[in-house]
């Protein structure tokens, strides 16, 4: 089996194919990536996404073993290296905007959430704008200590 990211896990078994798992990755960026995923997965979009109950891990609604050899897969456009140390209970495919543009050229319509992050110079306060075309939001994410849980303030959200 192919291992396109060279992390020792075959692509078919890798929860983060295309990005080599790196436990030494920047812990602040890993905490930011988890906060972004939690916000996107837990976003109240009516019938579009399932909202977890208060007090439950938003990422847990995507957990579970692969069914009939298939995993639930979440696609997104962002910086893959921000997710290099993040372990999720589902398959996460993160591509850069450039890679996404190449993949969609000549193919069927595909609208994975796109995440833009604007960070302070000390990398502790982040303005995050995410959009999946029909749903999105603007967040301020504060990560006071590198690797600690980040605090999320939703500035706006939309459903079209």
């Amino acid at each position: 089996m192919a291992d396109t990211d060279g992390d020792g896990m075959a692509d078919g078994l890798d929860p983060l194919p295309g990005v080599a798992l790196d436990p030494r990755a920047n812990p602040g960026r890993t905490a930011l990536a988890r906060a972004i995923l939690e916000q996107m997965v837990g976003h109240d979009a009516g019938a579009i996404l399932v909202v977890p109950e208060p007090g439950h891990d938003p990422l847990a609604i995507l957990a579970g073993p692969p069914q009939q050899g298939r995993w639930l897969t979440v696609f997104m456009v962002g910086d893959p290296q921000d997710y290099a140390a993040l372990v999720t209970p589902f398959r996460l495919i993160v591509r850069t905007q450039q890679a996404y543009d190449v993949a969609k050229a000549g193919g069927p319509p595909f609208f994975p959430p796109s995440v833009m992050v604007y960070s302070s110079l000390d990398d502790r306060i982040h303005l995050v704008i995410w959009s999946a075309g029909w749903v999105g939001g603007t967040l301020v994410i504060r990560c006071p200590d590198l690797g600690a849980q980040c605090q999320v303030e939703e500035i706006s959200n939309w459903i079209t």
Side-chain angles (χ1 to χ4, degrees), residues 11-51:
D11 289 344
L13 302 174
D14 194 343
L16 190 60
V19 180
L21 182 63
D22 182 3
R24 297 168 296 149
N26 180 328
R29 298 306 280 192
T30 300
L32 172 64
R34 181 169 179 80
I36 291 170
L37 277 177
E38 287 175 348
Q39 190 67 26
M40 288 172 40
V41 169
H43 185 76
D44 184 358
I48 297 170
L49 294 174
V50 177
V51 180

Side-chain angles (χ1 to χ4, degrees), residues 77-145:
V77 177
D79 183 350
Q81 292 312 307
D82 286 348
Y83 299 84
L86 192 65
V87 177
T88 60
F90 51 87
R91 179 173 291 217
L92 177 63
I93 298 179
V94 183
R95 297 291 183 257
T96 63
Q97 184 65 50
Q98 240 180 351
Y100 168 70
D101 290 341
V102 168
K104 77 173 185 174
F110 181 53
F111 304 102
S114 177
V115 178
M116 295 181 294
V117 178
Y118 303 93
S119 301
S120 64
L121 292 176
D122 65 0
D123 209 31
R124 293 176 190 252
I125 301 173
H126 313 275
L127 175 66
V128 177
I129 302 168
W130 69 275
S131 174
W134 69 91
V135 63
T138 303
L139 316 166
V140 172
I141 300 179
R142 291 177 177 82
C143 304
D145 295 316

Side-chain angles (χ1 to χ4, degrees), residues 1-14 17-18 91:
M1 279 187 133
D3 177 16
T4 56
D5 57 22
D7 63 1
M9 284 186 271
D11 289 344
L13 302 174
D14 194 343
R91 179 173 291 217

